[in-house]
Amino acid sequence: MTARQPFSLTIAHINDTHSHFESTPVSLNLDDKATPVYANSGGFARIASAVSHFREQAKQDDHAFLFLHAGDCFQGTLYYSLFKGKANADLLNRLGIDAMAIGNHELDQGNGPVADFLDDIQFPLLAGNWHVADESKDKDKRVSDKPALLPYIAPEERASTLIKTYAGHKVGIFSLAVEQMAALAHPDHDTPFLPATRIAENTLAFLRQQGVNTIILLSHLGYDKDKELAAAVNGIDVIVGGHTHVLQGDFQNLGLAKEDPYGYKINDTWIVQAGCHAQAIGRFTLSIDEKGRPVAFEGQNYLLLGRSLAMDASREQQLTEGSYQAVRAYLNRQDNVLILPSDLALKQYLQRTYRPHVAQLESDIVTQVPQRLRHVRVPDSEGGSEVAPLVTESFLWAAREQGIEADFAIHNAGGVRVSLNAGPLSAALIAGTLLPFAIDVIAYQVTGAQIRRAIEGAINNATDNGVTGLGSGSFPYCADIRYRYEAWQPMGARVTQLEIKRGNHWIAIDDQRQYTGVSSSYTAQGKEGYDAIQTGHRRSIGLSMAECFIDYARQQPVLALPTEPLVCYLRTSDERKTCWGE
């Protein structure tokens, strides 16, 4: 028997691309200069060029090569709003993905869109802690019978695995996704996500029994959970992660952030993650000995840039020739930047197949924004979001236009994605950037007490006040109700004032009375602290979040600031200020 030889494996990886097929303008501050320079970053055509470049380098160096996606390709831009998962499957196939992990946003609208996606992809979708074996056989769209899905294997309590063989060595890949999937997304009730640690241990034991000595976890658990898993479980060589959009490495040379070093190591496990929105790509090489054990790791993240540069995001102010050459020379010297032309074939395919539909909405101007409207999730020293209240108002307005006698609306801050700059506001920006999640708006019946508990629960979740929350995105903004939240009060008594608008007057909400509320289906299903308003008495108003806001904005020549604050969020007892002029 011939002895196995050492070999090298190069892996390229992306995560959380969120339908960002085109490049994104990115502001760079170079060499400590205060003036920003705008460049085009990423996009699928540039990723295709980078992967082709990496693949060719691996071939020349006699390395094996893999290209992985760590989940969340759905949602994010107008391309998803218009084409759902169809465009993602098509373009990911063209990128030549070897495997992808399922992300939480793939399940924002239940299992159905994932079933369609599985029919279209030409690579395996790994979902090692998704228990689909008990899925109802009565469904029109089932995921459990799709060959492209590699789910949880119940009899052995482990993940399905993908095993590749290189130079006689076996490399095993499995995946795990966020355990709180039901709190973040909408997996069908008969297909739960299970806790990760025990499944990881059982899967590692299985892979070792199969003679696999190099093991990759393709994770959509999130960066902190990846670290916890690496500390708790021995035997994972590399965790290729996603979900939390961490661009590992020091990008201060470009005026961007400095995060943990790329390939952050805990015990014997390297952890990598490559940002988000198809702007960057990670690449690392494992040197593997004759026993199949990784003995060295080398790699980094790269920001993917094009050659064009400008002084502003609209690209109307060009650099002088001298400035352009100086900036270009500086960027060429940075080892964490790849300046590559877009893959022409993929770029032309995108332009021909999908771009015309997007361009049509880009030319549809629905209103004007007279001044910049700021969006923050949790109110800060400058106040709360100026955008989220308008979005919430649009839900209430749209419901009433549908003949629904709605009393109020609540929306979670994380459902609103950006601030709004002064100028024309297009349908494309609303549906593709501001409210990119293709989620229905729901009307429901709740009591005043349920509203009170939901507001407190959402803020507790957003601020980790007495609970371990799921992020600041749950913070509630309102229409036709207003509230005061005092963070230092005991749990259950933090909403100290809660009022509803009747005509031009505000009156206290009656805890015993029934009210009709309007929210996104995400919030109405009790996600992220809103469980108090989860009720069986609900129905869709027949419009998505973006459709509500587009229709609302069309009625107004100018999208003005909210006329009065509806949120009074107090962190400490020292902030005993008045909120509504009382």
Side-chain angles (χ1 to χ4, degrees), residues 7-13 47-60 62-68 95-99 164-166 171 173 281-286:
F7 78 106
S8 294
L9 171 63
T10 293
I11 297 179
H13 61 101
I47 284 177
S49 288
V51 171
S52 178
H53 173 65
F54 293 156
R55 198 184 299 274
E56 182 59 31
Q57 282 189 332
K59 182 179 179 181
Q60 292 176 5
D62 197 25
H63 293 181
F65 185 79
L66 274 173
F67 181 28
L68 303 175
L95 284 184
I97 297 285
D98 288 298
K164 301 274 191 178
T165 302
Y166 305 104
V171 175
I173 306 166
I281 190 168
R283 177 184 62 168
F284 62 90
T285 297
L286 289 177

Side-chain angles (χ1 to χ4, degrees), residues 367-436:
T367 192
Q368 297 287 324
V369 181
Q371 66 188 74
R372 186 176 187 273
L373 301 179
R374 189 178 77 116
H375 177 58
V376 293
R377 292 186 170 187
V378 179
D380 56 21
S381 60
E382 297 179 42
S385 173
E386 296 169 330
V387 182
L390 291 171
V391 170
T392 312
E393 177 68 30
S394 78
F395 296 174
L396 185 59
W397 174 87
R400 290 170 174 171
E401 286 291 301
Q402 300 295 314
I404 298 169
E405 295 181 0
D407 296 300
F408 71 94
I410 298 179
H411 188 43
N412 63 306
V416 179
R417 306 306 288 178
V418 294
S419 301
L420 292 177
N421 292 322
L425 181 61
S426 70
L429 191 146
I430 293 170
T433 304
L434 177 68
L435 300 168

Side-chain angles (χ1 to χ4, degrees), residues 33-364:
K33 293 182 174 62
T35 303
V37 173
Y38 287 85
N40 284 330
S41 174
F44 272 35
R46 195 160 283 118
I47 284 177
S49 288
V51 171
S52 178
H53 173 65
F54 293 156
R55 198 184 299 274
E56 182 59 31
Q57 282 189 332
K59 182 179 179 181
Q60 292 176 5
D61 295 336
D62 197 25
H63 293 181
F65 185 79
L66 274 173
F67 181 28
L68 303 175
H69 191 307
D72 270 5
C73 68
F74 280 18
Q75 301 284 14
T77 73
L78 198 57
Y79 285 104
Y80 184 79
S81 303
L82 288 170
F83 303 107
K84 304 299 185 285
K86 179 71 70 174
N88 268 287
D90 184 8
L91 294 170
L92 287 170
N93 286 339
R94 291 173 185 273
L95 284 184
I97 297 285
D98 288 298
M100 175 177 159
I102 194 165
N104 53 293
H105 284 292
E106 273 73 76
L107 287 155
D108 278 343
Q109 295 171 290
N111 291 12
V114 179
D116 292 336
F117 183 69
L118 288 163
D119 285 336
D120 293 334
I121 58 176
Q122 298 166 3
F123 51 85
L125 182 67
L126 279 60
N129 58 330
W130 194 14
H131 188 356
V132 302
D134 297 329
E135 187 178 31
S136 170
K137 294 184 171 29
D138 297 331
K139 292 181 181 176
D140 291 335
K141 294 181 179 180
R142 290 162 44 83
V143 297
S144 55
D145 55 5
K146 304 296 182 183
L149 182 68
L150 275 63
Y152 175 71
I153 298 177
E156 300 173 44
E157 299 183 346
R158 67 170 178 88
S160 295
T161 59
L162 180 66
I163 299 177
K164 301 274 191 178
T165 302
Y166 305 104
H169 295 273
K170 293 179 180 179
V171 175
I173 306 166
F174 72 103
S175 80
L176 297 167
V178 287
E179 299 171 345
Q180 313 96 328
M181 189 67 78
L184 291 173
H186 299 102
D188 291 358
H189 295 303
D190 53 3
T191 58
F193 279 75
L194 304 180
T197 302
R198 180 62 176 163
I199 294 172
E201 292 171 341
N202 291 344
T203 306
L204 289 166
F206 167 79
L207 286 169
R208 284 191 286 267
Q209 290 170 4
Q210 304 302 308
V212 178
N213 292 321
T214 306
I215 299 174
I216 310 293
L217 170 61
L218 190 54
S219 165
H220 201 81
L221 293 167
Y223 194 52
D224 288 342
K225 184 64 177 179
D226 289 341
K227 289 180 176 180
E228 291 175 15
L229 193 67
V233 177
N234 294 320
I236 303 171
D237 295 306
V238 183
I239 300 176
V240 177
H243 183 52
T244 40
H245 299 193
V246 175
L247 181 62
Q248 284 179 317
D250 186 353
F251 285 82
Q252 294 177 104
N253 57 323
L254 305 174
L256 303 177
K258 179 182 180 180
E259 299 284 356
D260 284 342
Y262 182 83
Y264 189 84
K265 195 172 186 182
I266 294 180
N267 294 333
D268 293 322
T269 302
W270 290 283
I271 302 170
V272 298
Q273 194 169 143
C276 63
H277 297 170
Q279 291 184 309
I281 190 168
R283 177 184 62 168
F284 62 90
T285 297
L286 289 177
S287 298
I288 298 169
D289 66 16
E290 65 279 1
K291 296 179 181 178
R293 297 296 306 130
V295 293
F297 171 101
E298 182 179 5
Q300 68 179 84
N301 277 323
Y302 300 89
L303 189 67
L304 301 175
L305 299 180
R307 296 190 59 81
S308 64
L309 300 166
M311 296 293 292
D312 66 323
S314 67
R315 320 200 74 74
E316 293 179 357
Q317 301 179 44
Q318 298 299 314
L319 278 71
T320 65
E321 180 63 23
S323 295
Y324 176 88
Q325 294 300 334
V327 171
R328 178 58 59 207
Y330 177 85
L331 291 173
N332 286 337
R333 294 195 299 270
Q334 309 311 305
D335 63 4
N336 56 356
V337 172
L338 277 182
I339 300 172
L340 292 168
S342 296
D343 180 89
L344 186 59
L346 186 54
K347 182 177 181 179
Q348 289 178 340
Y349 180 78
L350 177 64
Q351 294 286 332
R352 181 175 66 252
T353 307
Y354 300 108
R355 179 65 191 159
H357 304 275
V358 173
Q360 184 176 354
L361 285 185
E362 287 177 340
S363 64
D364 180 8

Side-chain angles (χ1 to χ4, degrees), residues 467-485:
V467 301
T468 301
L470 295 171
S472 59
S474 64
F475 194 92
Y477 287 91
C478 307
D480 276 20
I481 59 173
R482 64 184 188 184
Y483 66 82
R484 177 188 182 103
Y485 174 94

